């Protein structure tokens, strides 16, 4: 891909729409491009919020109206090849606009993740997840948000987004290996020589965007370790990586 293509591939990267070769090339670019790293973090957060959506059947009346209008409205012929038009359009969108476009596209795709469980449990879990997703989005979209990226063990990559105004930090992981049963990834705030627990996430190996638990509260960086399910009060393994927070 050309340099211009790389800068417009953030959405496709988040949606796993790149080929293996394109993905590897984009990740090399991502390691050196702060703007793309921040955009990937924002789009990943948007996709996480979409996981809270519930699919609703389209009203029959609306479907009939749309189908009737389709028969009477002629589609305009394309002025440029579709691929070129998409690239041009993507270049004109600001980061938050691209996130909104991704949200709209995915919503109309009918994302649904509600499982069969009691209504009260579902509402409680949804409310908690929504609150956390809103807090994560506020950190990623904060005007003072700063981004830094670095290497983790086993070829994985990590990106840290810090908002000093909100006193919160978020972490984006890509390429982490899948963990065996009974193990999780645990995040830590680095306070000098001390490590303070900052939350856990599952070791499925999928890309993750995570809001660190608790306030930064003067921490100079963060670390990532593998711990027993449920987490540990202090690290029990060598860190997969320690990353300094942006100044």
């Amino acid at each position: 891909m050309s340099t211009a293509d790389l800068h417009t591939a953030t959405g496709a990267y988040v949606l796993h729409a790149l080929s293996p070769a394109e993905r590897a090339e984009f990740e090399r670019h991502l390691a050196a491009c702060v703007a793309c790293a921040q955009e990937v973090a924002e789009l990943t957060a948007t996709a996480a919020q979409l996981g809270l959506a519930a699919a609703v059947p389209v009203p029959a009346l609306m479907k009939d109206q749309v189908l009737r209008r389709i028969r009477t409205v002629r589609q305009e012929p394309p002025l440029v090849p579709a691929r070129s038009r998409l690239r041009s359009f993507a270049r004109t969108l600001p980061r938050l606009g691209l996130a909104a476009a991704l949200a709209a596209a995915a919503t109309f795709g009918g994302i649904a993740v509600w499982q069969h469980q009691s209504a009260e449990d579902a509402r409680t879990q949804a409310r908690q997840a929504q609150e956390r997703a809103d807090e994560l989005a506020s950190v990623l979209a904060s005007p003072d948000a700063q981004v830094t990226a670095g290497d983790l063990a086993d070829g994985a990559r990590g990106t840290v987004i810090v908002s000093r105004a909100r006193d919160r930090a978020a972490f984006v992981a890509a390429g982490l290996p899948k963990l065996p049963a009974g193990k999780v990834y645990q995040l830590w705030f680095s306070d000098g020589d001390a490590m303070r627990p900052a939350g856990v996430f599952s070791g499925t190996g999928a890309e993750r965007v995570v809001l660190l638990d608790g306030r930064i509260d003067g921490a100079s960086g963060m670390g990532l370790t593998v711990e027993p399910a449920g987490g540990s009060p202090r690290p029990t393994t060598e860190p997969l990586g320690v990353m300094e927070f942006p100044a």
Side-chain angles (χ1 to χ4, degrees):
M1 292 186 287
S2 67
T3 301
D5 289 335
L6 288 168
H7 284 299
T8 60
T10 50
Y13 176 75
V14 170
L15 293 178
H16 306 284
L18 298 177
S19 69
E22 289 173 330
R23 183 179 186 83
E25 184 177 1
F26 179 79
E27 288 181 343
R28 288 193 294 272
H29 166 76
L30 190 64
C33 182
V34 173
C36 284
Q38 182 166 347
E39 189 167 302
V40 165
E42 292 170 354
L43 294 178
T44 304
T46 300
Q49 286 187 293
L50 290 172
L52 301 174
V56 177
V58 177
L61 181 59
M62 179 184 294
K63 181 178 179 181
D64 291 341
Q65 290 175 341
V66 171
L67 291 177
R68 280 200 303 271
R69 292 182 183 182
I70 286 175
R71 300 189 187 100
T72 61
V73 178
R74 182 176 180 179
Q75 183 173 340
E76 298 252 349
L79 299 178
V80 295
R83 186 176 178 85
S84 298
R85 186 172 65 252
L86 179 59
R87 290 177 183 171
S88 176
F89 177 63
R91 293 191 191 101
T92 65
L93 287 172
R95 285 192 295 273
L96 294 181
L98 185 56
L102 174 63
T107 299
F108 281 106
I111 292 179
V113 296
W114 295 107
Q115 305 297 319
H116 296 292
Q117 54 186 298
S118 70
E120 187 58 36
D121 286 346
R123 282 193 293 269
T124 299
Q125 292 177 8
R127 184 174 63 254
Q128 293 173 344
Q130 182 65 61
E131 290 172 354
R132 192 164 183 82
D134 288 345
E135 182 66 22
L136 175 61
S138 71
V139 171
L140 299 177
S142 180
D144 76 322
Q146 294 180 290
V147 180
T148 185
D151 293 322
L152 303 175
D154 300 320
R157 293 283 299 170
T159 302
V160 180
I161 304 94
V162 173
S163 170
R164 299 289 181 182
R166 294 186 175 278
D167 201 23
R168 300 300 298 272
F171 176 67
V172 180
L176 288 174
K178 184 176 181 179
L179 295 179
K183 296 291 184 180
V184 295
Y185 288 110
Q186 184 160 357
L187 296 161
W188 306 87
F189 283 113
S190 175
D191 296 316
D193 294 331
M195 301 292 274
R196 173 163 45 99
V200 300
F201 59 93
S202 63
T204 60
E207 293 180 12
R208 298 296 300 267
V209 54
V210 186
L211 180 70
L212 274 68
D213 288 348
R215 303 291 172 179
I216 295 174
D217 194 23
S220 59
M222 58 146 291
L224 179 69
T225 63
V226 175
E227 302 294 337
S232 304
R234 61 186 61 85
T236 64
T237 62
E238 286 295 318
L240 299 177
V242 177
M243 301 178 67
E244 294 294 321
F245 286 155

